[in-house]
Amino acid sequence: MLNINDLQASVEGKEILKGISLRVNAGEIHAIMGPNGSGKSTLASVLAGKESYEVTGGNVLFEGKDLIEMAPEDRAREGLFLAFQYPVEIPGVSNINFLKTAITEIRAYKGLPPLSSREFMNLLKEKQELVELKTSLVNRSLNEGFSGGEKKRNEILQLAMLDPKLAILDETDSGLDIDALRIVANGVNKLRTENNAFMLITHYQRLLDYIVPDFVHILYDGKIIKSGTKELALELEEKGYDWVKEELSVQASHSL
Amino acid sequence: MEKGIFNNFYKDLINYFENGLPASRLTEPGWLSEKREAAFNLFKEKGFPSRKNEEWRFTNLERFLADDFKFRVQNGADKVSAEIEDFEASRIRIVNGRFAADLSDPLPDGMTFMDTSAALSDPRFAGKFGSIADDRESSMLALNTAFARDYSILHIAANAIIKKPLHISHIYTEQTGPSFIPYRTLVIAEKLSEATLVETFHSDAAAPVFVSFVSEQQIDESAVFHSHMINTLGENVYFVQHREVLQFRNSVLNNSNITLGDTPLIRNDLNFRLQGTGTETNLLGAYLLSGGQHVDNHTLVDHRMPNCNSNELYKGILQDKSHAVFNGKVFVRPDAQKTNAFQKNNNLLLSNQATVNSKPQLEIFADDVKCSHGSTVGQMNNDALFYLKARGIGEETARRLLMEAFVFDIISRLEIPALREYTAGLLKRKLHTDNLVIA
């Protein structure tokens, strides 16, 4: 589904991603972990197409298509979804109309007619229960005045509504209390199928108690330095990131 | 002599007043003739205000007054759609400045509308013309006083609570040649009354029209008056409005001023003089400009007495080569203790060639007051844009959604649902989002 090959990217001339290769297949959940500043969020932003990031090398294929060449809206229409670490508040754009517009544009891209109001409302009601988001919030301006937890749940609501092939969750667990974390994790688990895939970007192992990943990758200084299964996350939790850094420097001195 | 504009239009007007007065003028009451004479002399001396005049620094009238404007007898060909859908209201139409009785509804009890001859012959209002808008410096006001061809009065009786709004459509339909349309209304809302006036401005003019519209309003003690102005004028109407509102003790005035048309020039002078204690004044404004449009809103809230509240919010979007001016004066006079006065003007500047001159001007002479003012000029929020695009919404749609949201902040505050719908529809039409599913 997603094939990242030696991806390099920089922001304002500073190189952040220094050659990342990763393959995500349908049905898989990948966790990307790493210390602050390792490039986790940059990877998410580059994949979603944020303009301030410049891809300086490598390539990314999404369902066989060149992702980097696509406009952000086309990536979304092709089935890529980014749950933002900091969802933007947009006063004056109602949550519900935003969702309706997004679904209509995505369907139009696929040559499908818009959903009828009834179909849309039924879908919304169903997905809203999944993330336990109050109707009053759905009718409000997009994220305006939402608590941190409400914003994150709203991201998952959008995820559920848009039904992407690949969802990237950028530190969706940060700032969540345990109840909100459970709701978010529960939502993801219910949305998981053998046809879609998830990339969980997280600093902590905590989220992975609730969403069990198939693979865990450790990102450090713009590179994936270690990959493994869920046990790697536990090991990391136990030993801390310093352990990885030490391993890395040992490797580096060996290769000298 | 002042540094005014003394162009051909000016010369025609001077000649017209001195040599070619229409017969109707001869039957006017003496007090009116005197006022006209005095105003004419002021206009003759000052001419049209040029950019040398501080109040007109950012609006170059000369550019807009190049046509050979004349007084013309318009045929009332009225094909303009001036209706607001699903709006339960009494309707009055003013076509080319003149009350069109055949197109208007009877009014509810307690509300009276008088045309020129009724207005001038009613002894209750003798001398009222020009007594509220009495600025002796303004040559544009003097122009209207001297030349106003039509005059109407809206009267709301004391204690009358009128639920049904009055909708006045101002329609300009000149077809023959460049035309000058000066006219005036007077609104008297007597004590303890409550009424709503919605004014919409429309045009279907084949030739250029220069409109000078003055509205004098007196809101008596404890009266509540809701007024809305929605400007949808088309491409060849030049619109200059002066509105002078006197508010007496405990009165409430709400005004919205929404510009969603294509007219090249709008200049509004909206003055609110708080004559009594305990008044409330709420002002909303929105403008969405494109092409070479020039919209200049000058507002003045003059706190003369203690314990008055005023609140003003104007928001606008500028595209292409458009130009917006916001000049918001708030005066807090020495007697106006315990004043609360807030003012804000926010602009979204979406083109390198567009210009905003925003000048909030707060002058406080009292020492126990709460006042604030602020002005912003910003650009499209790129984070918001990316957020929308990341959900599959295309660049164009995303930009329009954000623009709509910016103005919708004002529109959503209109209390009449039909008016919200109507203005939202105008907004969508102007943004070309009317075929999107966004509500």
Side-chain angles (χ1 to χ4, degrees):
Chain A
M1 178 180 290
L2 183 75
N3 207 340
I4 305 175
N5 183 20
D6 193 28
L7 180 65
Q8 296 154 47
S10 60
V11 60
E12 287 165 3
K14 187 167 179 259
E15 194 180 20
I16 310 275
L17 302 184
K18 300 174 179 172
I20 288 184
S21 297
L22 179 65
R23 194 185 168 90
V24 178
N25 297 310
E28 295 176 350
I29 294 185
H30 290 246
I32 313 261
M33 304 184 72
N36 288 330
S38 57
K40 301 189 301 287
S41 284
T42 300
L43 176 61
S45 296
V46 167
L47 292 176
K50 192 158 181 159
E51 279 94 348
S52 45
Y53 294 88
E54 195 194 345
V55 173
T56 50
N59 62 61
V60 181
L61 293 179
F62 181 55
E63 297 283 39
K65 293 182 186 166
D66 184 349
L67 192 72
I68 302 305
E69 285 301 304
M70 275 183 230
E73 57 268 37
D74 286 338
R75 301 181 193 201
R77 292 161 179 172
E78 289 285 348
L80 185 125
F81 182 94
L82 170 65
F84 283 70
Q85 184 178 3
Y86 304 111
V88 185
E89 297 194 12
I90 309 185
V93 173
S94 92
N95 218 346
I96 202 161
N97 290 330
F98 157 70
L99 279 171
K100 215 173 188 177
T101 307
I103 288 179
T104 302
E105 296 237 332
I106 291 171
R107 288 178 64 88
Y109 182 78
K110 294 176 180 165
L112 298 170
L115 291 179
S116 72
S117 287
R118 174 181 291 225
E119 286 168 324
F120 175 80
M121 290 313 293
N122 286 343
L123 183 69
L124 181 62
K125 198 160 169 256
E126 178 196 325
K127 303 301 183 188
Q128 213 179 305
E129 281 164 13
L130 192 74
V131 293
E132 300 174 33
L133 201 64
K134 286 185 299 231
T135 303
S136 59
L137 290 181
V138 176
N139 288 324
R140 278 235 302 263
S141 279
L142 189 49
N143 294 326
E144 192 188 21
F146 285 29
S147 71
E150 286 165 347
K151 281 181 185 167
K152 296 297 174 77
R153 276 188 284 160
N154 199 26
E155 293 293 291
I156 305 302
L157 173 66
Q158 293 169 30
L159 164 62
M161 290 294 287
L162 302 184
D163 190 23
K165 290 176 191 152
L166 173 67
I168 303 166
L169 276 59
D170 187 7
E171 304 214 11
T172 300
D173 54 330
S174 65
L176 287 188
D177 60 42
I178 196 71
D179 290 331
L181 183 71
R182 248 188 231 127
I183 292 169
V184 164
N186 202 12
V188 170
N189 287 328
K190 281 185 186 157
L191 293 169
R192 179 179 188 183
T193 70
E194 57 191 28
N195 298 319
N196 62 21
F198 288 84
M199 192 187 277
L200 310 176
I201 290 176
T202 179
H203 189 79
Y204 306 102
Q205 193 270 336
R206 192 177 65 148
L207 177 69
L208 307 181
D209 287 340
Y210 297 93
I211 308 173
V212 181
D214 300 299
F215 301 97
V216 174
H217 311 278
I218 297 172
L219 194 63
Y220 180 72
D221 193 25
K223 283 181 186 160
I224 291 177
I225 54 165
K226 209 170 173 60
S227 292
T229 53
K230 63 183 181 203
E231 285 74 23
L232 178 59
L234 292 169
E235 198 175 357
L236 191 65
E237 178 80 358
E238 199 181 306
K239 298 182 179 170
Y241 282 111
D242 287 341
W243 160 66
V244 190
K245 291 178 200 170
E246 277 162 28
E247 275 214 344
L248 192 69
S249 56
V250 171
Q251 281 172 12
S253 52
H254 279 308
S255 61
L256 276 175
Chain B
M1 211 155 176
E2 294 228 1
K3 291 187 173 103
I5 299 167
F6 303 94
N7 57 7
N8 283 338
F9 181 30
Y10 166 86
K11 286 174 193 141
D12 281 353
L13 286 168
I14 299 303
N15 184 41
Y16 177 81
F17 194 93
E18 289 178 338
N19 305 313
L21 267 188
S24 65
R25 243 348 111 68
L26 300 171
T27 59
E28 275 180 3
W31 60 262
L32 182 55
S33 303
E34 278 171 32
K35 281 188 180 176
R36 288 197 193 276
E37 199 72 40
F40 173 75
N41 288 331
L42 179 82
F43 177 71
K44 187 179 175 183
E45 181 201 327
K46 290 184 168 243
F48 289 103
S50 74
R51 296 182 62 190
K52 299 257 162 54
N53 180 327
E54 180 63 25
E55 298 302 322
W56 290 82
R57 237 177 95 197
F58 300 113
T59 297
N60 180 6
L61 265 182
E62 192 152 24
R63 195 155 71 82
F64 300 106
L65 296 180
D67 285 295
D68 183 20
F69 295 105
K70 293 263 190 295
F71 287 95
R72 293 177 199 272
V73 181
Q74 289 90 357
N75 49 7
D78 180 10
K79 296 169 290 182
V80 183
S81 137
E83 301 297 323
I84 295 176
E85 215 174 300
D86 299 324
F87 185 31
E88 235 350 91
S90 319
R91 281 161 308 177
I92 280 185
R93 290 199 174 197
I94 295 182
V95 180
N96 298 314
R98 187 154 293 171
F99 172 57
D102 53 328
L103 299 170
S104 300
D105 295 337
L107 297 186
D109 284 348
M111 191 180 247
T112 321
F113 188 86
M114 284 166 259
D115 68 2
T116 310
S117 67
L120 289 178
S121 57
D122 193 321
R124 286 179 299 169
F125 307 113
K128 267 287 183 193
F129 184 113
S131 68
I132 295 171
D134 61 353
D135 182 348
R136 288 179 214 288
E137 295 296 313
S138 165
S139 63
M140 288 308 275
L141 181 60
L143 170 76
N144 185 283
T145 305
F147 292 97
R149 198 170 42 172
D150 294 282
Y151 175 49
S152 51
I153 296 177
L154 173 65
H155 178 256
I156 297 138
N159 302 304
I161 307 293
I162 298 164
K163 293 247 157 59
K164 198 176 187 181
L166 173 64
H167 175 196
I168 297 184
S169 310
H170 299 259
I171 303 165
Y172 312 111
T173 63
E174 180 55 48
Q175 304 298 325
T176 50
S179 166
F180 177 43
I181 302 178
Y183 67 112
R184 182 177 297 223
T185 61
L186 169 68
V187 175
I188 307 274
E190 288 193 353
K191 64 178 183 182
L192 292 159
S193 67
E194 177 163 1
T196 300
L197 171 64
V198 174
E199 288 177 273
T200 55
F201 298 85
H202 313 265
S203 67
D204 175 28
V209 177
F210 177 61
V211 177
S212 161
F213 174 53
V214 171
S215 183
E216 299 182 77
Q217 306 187 345
Q218 176 181 316
I219 316 301
D220 285 341
E221 201 177 313
S222 299
V224 179
F225 191 61
H226 310 277
S227 61
H228 304 277
M229 309 184 293
I230 298 165
N231 196 314
T232 74
L233 291 173
E235 278 172 353
N236 44 11
V237 181
Y238 308 95
F239 182 82
V240 177
Q241 174 180 217
H242 183 114
R243 182 166 293 220
E244 193 83 26
V245 183
L246 277 190
Q247 270 189 264
F248 291 91
R249 198 158 76 94
N250 296 336
S251 64
V252 176
L253 179 116
N254 297 317
N255 180 260
S256 63
N257 169 17
I258 293 173
T259 296
L260 294 168
D262 301 312
T263 175
L265 171 69
I266 292 179
R267 163 66 181 234
N268 288 311
D269 282 274
L270 310 176
N271 299 340
F272 303 85
R273 310 228 181 239
L274 314 183
Q275 296 284 82
T277 58
T279 62
E280 187 178 321
T281 310
N282 298 303
L283 308 179
L284 288 175
Y287 39 93
L288 170 59
L289 310 185
S290 57
Q293 282 188 282
H294 183 104
V295 171
D296 178 345
N297 286 306
H298 268 62
T299 66
L300 164 63
V301 181
D302 188 358
H303 284 262
R304 297 173 167 181
M305 298 294 277
N307 293 305
C308 296
N309 294 320
S310 70
N311 213 321
E312 178 172 20
L313 175 62
Y314 269 62
K315 290 181 86 167
I317 301 181
L318 291 101
Q319 311 175 85
D320 309 327
K321 294 179 176 176
S322 61
H323 187 170
V325 181
F326 174 81
N327 189 305
K329 290 195 185 91
V330 176
F331 293 158
V332 182
R333 310 261 180 192
D335 287 341
Q337 299 295 0
K338 307 283 179 193
T339 287
N340 285 317
F342 306 105
Q343 182 193 70
K344 215 156 79 172
N345 173 230
N346 302 130
N347 297 282
L348 206 50
L349 191 63
L350 299 183
S351 151
N352 289 335
Q353 291 169 298
T355 309
V356 180
N357 298 106
S358 179
K359 186 180 172 195
Q361 195 178 334
L362 185 53
E363 295 183 21
I364 303 175
F365 305 97
D367 54 16
D368 183 14
V369 301
K370 258 188 236 161
C371 299
S372 73
H373 65 169
S375 156
T376 63
V377 179
Q379 282 161 6
M380 195 65 91
N381 178 341
N382 281 328
D383 289 336
L385 202 57
F386 178 65
Y387 190 77
L388 296 176
K389 289 199 282 190
R391 295 296 174 256
I393 298 172
E395 168 96 26
E396 273 297 293
T397 309
R399 292 182 79 88
R400 283 175 184 157
L401 260 179
L402 292 176
M403 288 161 73
E404 199 177 288
F406 190 79
V407 175
F408 201 71
D409 185 23
I410 298 293
I411 288 175
S412 62
R413 294 169 203 241
L414 301 178
E415 280 171 5
I416 303 169
L419 213 53
R420 277 201 303 269
E421 290 290 313
Y422 177 66
T423 45
L426 293 172
L427 176 63
K428 283 174 196 298
R429 198 201 58 187
K430 178 117 190 180
L431 284 173
H432 311 290
T433 46
D434 38 3
N435 49 1
L436 290 177
V437 284
I438 44 186

